[in-house]
Amino acid sequence: LWIAVIAGTILRLYHLGQHSFWYDESTSLIGAEFVDWQFTFLSASESRLIPLFAVLGKIWHVLGTEVFGFTMGTNAGDAYLRLLPLIFGVPLIPMTYALAQYVLNNKTAAWVAAWGIALSPLQVYYAQEYRPHTIYAFLVCAGMYVSLRALDEGTRKYWIATVVIGVLAFYAYYFSAVYLVCMNVFALVNFN
């Protein structure tokens, strides 16, 4: 598994800051500027932000400029900003392994799933893009894992994790409403 994680990390780091930001990445960067610590950006009238990524982006940007001294718009500054989604793209590899191992109870299948994520061109691309896709993918994968464990084992820690990750996933990407509905339908069908 560690070889898949290392290979996936190398692929995701390769040419990380070589290309300038494109439109969608720029909107994510601008979205972080709307974050205020009175949380007015969470109001119903503010629908252009993906809140979790905007908050993380704001913190990440401040750390990069004020603590580490990166200049945004340079190759190093752009690479630094793109490390934020990469930080979630790499753990998606072992999370996929854990989910596949739990669901399929087959180490070979879990290993293939982990390598599939590690080498997936789309996953590599999304981990190199300053957008919330990898955070969403990681949270949904983790959410499925803890939800299944909660249904199977019924322990409080997995139920709490299911709720927390579900909320984070919704704030990470509004499309996760589909994931939340599907997991609830699955839970209702399988609940003892």
Side-chain angles (χ1 to χ4, degrees), residues 34-46 49 51 55 59 171:
F34 288 100
V35 172
D36 60 351
W37 301 116
Q38 290 77 37
F39 298 103
T40 58
F41 68 95
L42 291 175
S43 70
S45 63
E46 184 58 69
L49 292 181
V55 169
I59 294 166
Y171 281 106

Side-chain angles (χ1 to χ4, degrees), residues 95-107 110 144-154 158:
M95 190 72 249
T96 301
Y97 178 88
L99 179 61
Q101 171 64 25
Y102 189 76
V103 170
L104 303 172
N105 196 24
N106 184 313
K107 288 187 185 281
M144 285 189 284
Y145 177 78
V146 297
S147 296
L148 292 171
R149 296 287 300 259
L151 287 169
D152 287 345
E153 299 173 25
Y158 288 120

Side-chain angles (χ1 to χ4, degrees), residues 65-102:
T65 56
E66 295 183 17
V67 175
F68 300 119
F70 284 107
T71 302
M72 300 309 146
T74 63
N75 284 354
D78 290 353
Y80 168 79
L81 286 173
R82 288 182 177 132
L83 280 175
L84 177 60
L86 189 137
I87 287 171
F88 290 91
V90 171
L92 179 60
I93 300 166
M95 190 72 249
T96 301
Y97 178 88
L99 179 61
Q101 171 64 25
Y102 189 76

Side-chain angles (χ1 to χ4, degrees), residues 15-26 29 72-75 77-79 81-82 125 128-130:
H15 284 300
L16 189 61
Q18 294 299 314
H19 303 288
S20 60
F21 271 39
W22 69 292
Y23 180 79
D24 283 359
E25 289 179 298
S26 298
L29 189 58
M72 300 309 146
T74 63
N75 284 354
D78 290 353
L81 286 173
R82 288 182 177 132
Y125 175 76
Q128 293 181 333
E129 185 180 50
Y130 189 74

Side-chain angles (χ1 to χ4, degrees), residues 96-178:
T96 301
Y97 178 88
L99 179 61
Q101 171 64 25
Y102 189 76
V103 170
L104 303 172
N105 196 24
N106 184 313
K107 288 187 185 281
T108 303
W111 185 79
V112 169
W115 273 101
I117 291 294
L119 301 177
S120 167
L122 282 176
Q123 289 301 323
V124 170
Y125 175 76
Y126 286 142
Q128 293 181 333
E129 185 180 50
Y130 189 74
R131 298 287 292 146
H133 306 304
T134 56
I135 295 172
Y136 168 69
F138 175 78
L139 288 172
V140 167
C141 193
M144 285 189 284
Y145 177 78
V146 297
S147 296
L148 292 171
R149 296 287 300 259
L151 287 169
D152 287 345
E153 299 173 25
T155 57
R156 183 174 294 152
K157 67 179 179 181
Y158 288 120
W159 284 112
I160 291 170
T162 297
V163 171
V164 170
I165 291 172
V167 169
L168 289 173
F170 184 74
Y171 281 106
Y173 212 81
Y174 296 132
F175 192 69
S176 63
V178 173

